[in-house]
Structure formats: C-alpha cells, structure tokens
Amino acid sequence: YSDNRIQLKDRRNYAQFWNSLDALSENSFYEASNKNTNPTVEEMQQYILAQLRADLAGEARRFGVPLIATELGKPDWDGTNYDFTTTSGRVQDTQEQADWLEAMLRSFYILQQNDGVNVKGMFMWNMHTRQQLSRMGVGSRDFRERPAEDLIGLWFKPYSG
C-alpha cells in the first residue's frame, strides 16, 4: 500500500488502516550522529536506537505486528552516517559505511532482545550487478568488496550452535 498521506507522524489519524497491518516497516536511513564525521559504532548505535525507539518500536508493540527494516544501507563516503544525500566534495570512507551498518544491526538486535519488538527481517539497499559494481566509485551503497561485506557475513552466517 502506498499513499503519501500515511506517514509515521500521521499514524494516529488512520487507526482503521493501522489496525489492519500485517507488519510495520520503514526505510532505514537513520542518521547516526549530530554531524560528527567520525563517531564510534557505540555512539552511532545509541543515536540510532533512540530514534528507532521513538519512531517504530512502540508502534510495532502497540499493534502487535513485526518490524521489517527496508532499504538498509548508506553510501560509502565520509559523513554518510548523518548525511547520505549531499554528494558534492565527498571522499570515500568504506569503514564509516560498515560502522553505520554495524550500529543499525546492533540497534535492531537490541529492539528484539531488550525491547520486545518482533524484528522479522531486513532488506539491504542497494545491490548492483558485478559489472555495475566494477564501475562504481564513491557513493555506492553496495557493500560487496568493502568492509561491510565481511560484517554482513558475520551477522548472517549460519548458526552452528
């Protein structure tokens, strides 16, 4: 369902619609600092977690529906943790891309483990064909062949427990 009238800030005005949901999702482009170009993963995690708790966690519990993170990804440039739209003058920072992703994944894990939110899945954004990837420069959201690829492998490897 798509309708520009239905936005998170307007959710209480559409109770009938919201009570019919099977899941709650939102693009996961959360800022991770207040314009800090070099925050730690822990600082980004706290910044993101506060936003997730304010925006989505309570609503997911309230309606008893799972939460799905959509469009989880940021470009690979310096400052991407707080601004992923301004492209001019950016230098590549693949570690910041990975650190932001680590902070997001930790935040969703905390919502699941500590806050009682049923996190059901995540959609990574945005993947390219290998041919496209070889031509990508600064600003790619594709995490392959970057530090974030190893991070994803660690988070989503098969459980052997």
Side-chain angles (χ1 to χ4, degrees), residues 26-146:
E26 183 176 60
N27 295 343
S28 300
F29 299 130
Y30 285 92
E31 292 180 354
S33 76
N34 187 16
K35 301 195 184 315
N36 180 350
T37 59
N38 197 26
T40 66
V41 172
E42 290 75 21
E43 289 169 334
M44 287 192 278
Q45 174 191 312
Q46 292 305 313
Y47 203 88
I48 291 167
L49 191 55
Q51 294 170 82
L52 286 171
R53 284 175 168 155
D55 289 348
L56 295 174
E59 295 305 315
R61 284 191 309 270
R62 177 177 167 216
F63 292 112
V65 296
L67 178 62
I68 300 170
T70 59
E71 297 191 22
L72 185 63
K74 289 265 192 153
D76 62 354
W77 61 48
D78 191 38
T80 197
N81 81 82
Y82 65 85
D83 177 7
F84 69 98
T85 59
T86 305
T87 59
S88 179
R90 295 298 180 109
V91 295
Q92 193 168 41
D93 187 347
T94 57
Q95 189 59 52
E96 185 172 340
Q97 180 188 43
D99 290 349
W100 177 87
L101 186 57
E102 172 74 15
M104 284 297 297
L105 293 170
R106 286 183 186 183
S107 296
F108 280 111
Y109 180 79
I110 290 169
L111 287 180
Q112 175 90 17
Q113 295 299 113
N114 299 351
D115 294 17
V117 176
N118 184 6
V119 178
K120 276 297 193 189
M122 299 172 187
F123 296 97
M124 302 308 294
W125 184 262
N126 131 345
M127 303 295 286
H128 301 283
T129 65
R130 287 283 179 196
Q131 184 179 22
Q132 289 172 318
L133 186 60
S134 67
R135 295 190 308 261
M136 300 303 284
V138 175
S140 174
R141 286 173 173 80
D142 197 319
F143 57 82
R144 291 174 295 172
E145 301 177 11
R146 292 168 170 76

